[in-house]
Amino acid sequence: MDNQDINENSMDDQNMNNQTLKGEWNQLKGSVKQKWADLTDDDLTHIEGDRDKLVGRVQERYGHSKEDAEHDVDDWRRENQY
């Protein structure tokens, strides 16, 4: 397997994970609010289960770097198996 295959597999996994997050977003909102209480209902509506939008809102609300926000979101997803 070459680097292109690995990158394509990573992208496929990321896309599948994003689809899972979007599909279960209504059930996940409560967990998101517990983890990031500063996110508003409008934030959650805007995010619509999109990982990148969630990362952006966490970054914005908490003043995290993009890398820190991505790490927080990915840790939350692993903890909640999403």
Side-chain angles (χ1 to χ4, degrees):
M1 185 178 296
D2 63 18
N3 284 343
Q4 183 176 357
D5 290 337
I6 292 170
N7 288 340
E8 286 176 5
N9 286 339
S10 294
M11 292 297 287
D12 288 344
D13 289 344
Q14 184 71 24
N15 288 338
M16 186 171 62
N17 287 338
N18 281 341
Q19 291 302 317
T20 300
L21 187 61
K22 285 182 180 184
E24 299 177 4
W25 185 240
N26 285 331
Q27 293 90 347
L28 299 176
K29 286 180 185 179
S31 176
V32 170
K33 285 289 279 188
Q34 285 181 330
K35 176 75 175 173
W36 297 287
D38 289 349
L39 294 179
T40 66
D41 290 336
D42 286 341
D43 288 333
L44 297 177
T45 299
H46 172 78
I47 292 165
E48 298 176 316
D50 185 288
R51 177 194 172 273
D52 291 336
K53 289 180 182 178
L54 178 56
V55 167
R57 292 295 166 124
V58 169
Q59 182 181 3
E60 180 182 304
R61 294 281 184 244
Y62 291 90
H64 294 326
S65 69
K66 183 176 182 181
E67 293 79 19
D68 286 345
E70 287 176 333
H71 182 75
D72 287 350
V73 168
D74 291 341
D75 282 351
W76 170 81
R77 290 181 70 182
R78 275 190 292 280
E79 290 167 7
N80 292 282
Q81 300 175 351
Y82 296 115

